[in-house]
Amino acid sequence: MRRTIYITIFAVVAAILILIFTATMITDWFWFGEVGYQSVFLTSLLSSLGLRIITGIFLFLIIYINLRITRRSLHTEPEIYEEDENVIPIRRYVADRIFDAKKLNILFLAVSILLALLFSSAASNNWLMVQQFLNKASFGIKEPIFNLDASFYIFTLPFLRMLYSFLFIGILLSIFAAGASYFLFGAREFLNWRDNQINQPKVHLSILLALLFLLKAFDYILDGFGLLNKPGGVVYGPGYTDVNVLLLAYRVLAVIAVAAAVAVLINIFLKKFRYVIYTVISLIVVSILLGNVAPYAVQKIRVEPNELAVESPYIKNNMELTRKAYNIDQIRLETFEASTLDMADIQENPGTIQNIRLWDPEPLQNANTQLQEIRPYYSFLDVDIDRYTINGQLRQVMISARELTKNQLDQNAQTWVNQKLRYTHGYGLTMNFVASATSEGHPHYVVKDIPPESEDITVEVPQIYFGQAEDDYVIVNTTTEEFDYPSTTGNVSTTYTGKGGIPVSNIFTRALFALRFGDYRMLISNALTDDSRIIFRTNINERIQRIAPFLVYDRDPYLVVDDGRLFWIQDAYTTSRNFPYSTPVGGMGNYIRNSVKVVVDAYNGDVTFYADLENDPIVRSYAGIFPKLFKPWEQIPDGLVPHLRYPEDLFNVQAEIYKTYHMEDVRDFYNKEDVWTIPQEIFAGETITMQPYYTIMTLPGEGENPEFVLMLPFTPAKKNNMAAWLAVRCDPEHYGDAIVFQFSKQELVYGPNQVEAEIQADSEISQAISLWSQRGSEVIRGNLLVIPINDGIIYVEPLFLQSEQNKLPSLKRVIVFHNGELAWAETLGEALAKLFAAGEDTRTGLIDDGAPGDGEDDAGVEEKGDEDMAPELESLDELINRANQLFRQAKERQKNGDWAGYGEALSELESVLERMANQ
């Protein structure tokens, strides 16, 4: 009775699991149809299933055939053992229960099927490796040891290793299965292995063992190729000892393994079992001597006393192929003089100055939370940086999507109807200029509020059904109205009109999704109609990765407004761990390309993969496997092309490698003469490593037009002065072009850590920070930015005040630094004016002109040039009035980006203030 209950429970559980698995597969098929990639789903499924079937059949056949071979010499009659006093008990036990051919065949079939299923399931996970081997593409880059194209190491060698492992397991399982059969079922010859008679067990197992030795010889050959990715030497990849000793060892071991296979076969006929023993011992001894002792001796005696001379060719190999693997061989090197700047240089570069980022992502996200979330169920999960042409000028902006976080709904409102049918999407975004603030020190928004308000950017479809919020499913087009956005007159509702989602118009489809999500309520809800659609995988990361899990994705997808609609752009990488001679970077392998841009429609959920098929063999291989997955890079919509960015994760990897591999001389590289490092900065009171940052600037020697770049400074290892800065261009006509501007080694250029120390040591700044902190505010020192202007460098660091109660930060001061001189003020323009135009005393004093970017109304105040200045003013009242007028004039010109006029007004203001002081 109890056994029947257990069987029933097991059957019910198995049936439920099968139903859930089936429902998941079918709904996945529906979902891939929704996004338009059912061919990808089919290719992945059939490749995995096909490989499992092929490997399963092969393993079954090789094991079963070998077991069948043993059948001819087995004794299964129990009475045979009754006469033999030396029979092992387990053999008698087996023979007593399995003594006829039918039972034995069933046992052989069961064992073969079980082992085939068990090991073929692991092999099926390698389907992509097999497909890449079948669709390999040439790199056009050959390594210098075997003169083979890099594609051999990336596509062919992994496949051959997998093939070896699979064959080795098949032969090994056959040996164990056949040996167990001979032993358990009484092949007397099996117990007399040293007998000089030729018998079936000896012949059979000898052939299998010989095959095993031949496979091991094949493995040694593969190990020789594997040296191209060997760690642990003076550089990554093979060095002198590896090429001249270890490679020879693998070849000798391969020969000995073949000899061992021959010796095993000869032993069948010559009855010289000692030959087998000798070859096996030789294999072990040579493996130890040539594989360990000889390399150690050569390394100590030949290499280490003359390491640079001996290893130079191999170091050069590593340097060249590492640079190619990370594409840093394309970086152009320029000299940067770092001369002294003046106000004229500032005025000549308004495109750079008005786009210096003062708002850091963390303070801005806190400000957005306090000022723009509007309702508790909205959240700003990220801050992205991009550029837009606004009023005819290229302006750098920061963008945040206002996403729906349903777990922030009131506890009583977290019903199934609200979470699945009513609250279905986020709404709108914020966009602010990076370099300005309101009179209260808050962000200067270009797009804000609900519905989105903007004079410059049109947002016609602000609904965000697909974003970065936690993945969930919702059902649209039901009898329950969807919440769209809150208003002063009540909540506004909407109906989804996009093409996203899967129809759930019949009970069968609803039952499938109910099983998938474990939610019976969609089966019984009266709110669903024939037009209802279920939307799931709303998180863009999960959505993209489910389609193409073989790509590596950047951590920072970003939102773009194009033609009134919202799109997400996600950078994707092709990577490999097998590029020959290339030094790996943790987590990314030793080869990387940003060959894919993924675009997701925030309203419809459409996912489009755009690939650079010309310059990356790995993505060409993927395109061969999935012909309908990628569209050519050239088909990226025109409205999105100006918003493409060079991705930060790739930049970080390249910068990490370039710190060492910028050196081109082998001797310098070996001695680490000029290793760079990424400098430290102080942010919010903590010392952190500087991160790359986007900015708009005019690159030295690259024309007069400002452009969007990603940049990062370098300092020498264990030193704090600046060595160079790396910039990668992002605008379409120069996308991906990288330039390193290197400073002279004979001249000191302040590095970020030194500038932070100067700021820390400034008495006025320290006193002000202490005073603000005592008043219950948290003082946040923002990111320090290095800003190249013409042939000089300025540093800019924002300073925020944040109430400890409401966590609303305000931009309080801007600190600027140049050539040992420091100034700070309430706006960037004022700080620059103090630094470059305030005479000798540039380190102290504040201009009391209100909060940053207060945008006073200067109506009625005429802008005046030099010819309108009035040095003849004598009255103190007139001077005061003129000073106030010039101050407002300067503020208005700063707001409009008229830096030349701004400087003129400040110069005249300085003159007037001096005259006032002399009154």
Side-chain angles (χ1 to χ4, degrees), residues 585-653:
V585 172
M588 283 291 188
N590 65 357
Y591 170 92
I592 184 170
R593 291 291 186 275
N594 173 220
S595 298
V596 180
K597 302 282 187 181
V598 189
V599 177
V600 182
D601 189 311
Y603 188 72
N604 287 324
D606 296 336
V607 182
T608 310
F609 293 79
Y610 297 99
D612 180 7
L613 298 173
E614 294 183 4
N615 299 310
D616 182 15
I618 294 182
V619 83
R620 286 205 301 274
S621 173
Y622 289 143
I625 301 168
F626 308 104
K628 297 183 180 180
L629 176 59
F630 299 108
K631 290 185 178 180
W633 194 286
E634 295 74 22
Q635 292 184 18
I636 298 176
D638 292 340
L640 297 180
V641 170
H643 298 284
L644 298 181
R645 308 184 318 187
Y646 198 80
E648 291 182 66
D649 284 353
L650 174 60
F651 187 95
N652 276 323
V653 169

Side-chain angles (χ1 to χ4, degrees), residues 181 187 301 315 325 347 373 475 485 593 631 638 695 765 779 839:
S181 177
I301 298 171
I315 295 174
Q347 294 168 355
E373 280 191 354
I475 303 175
Y485 63 88
R593 291 291 186 275
K631 290 185 178 180
D638 292 340
T695 190
I765 295 176
V779 181

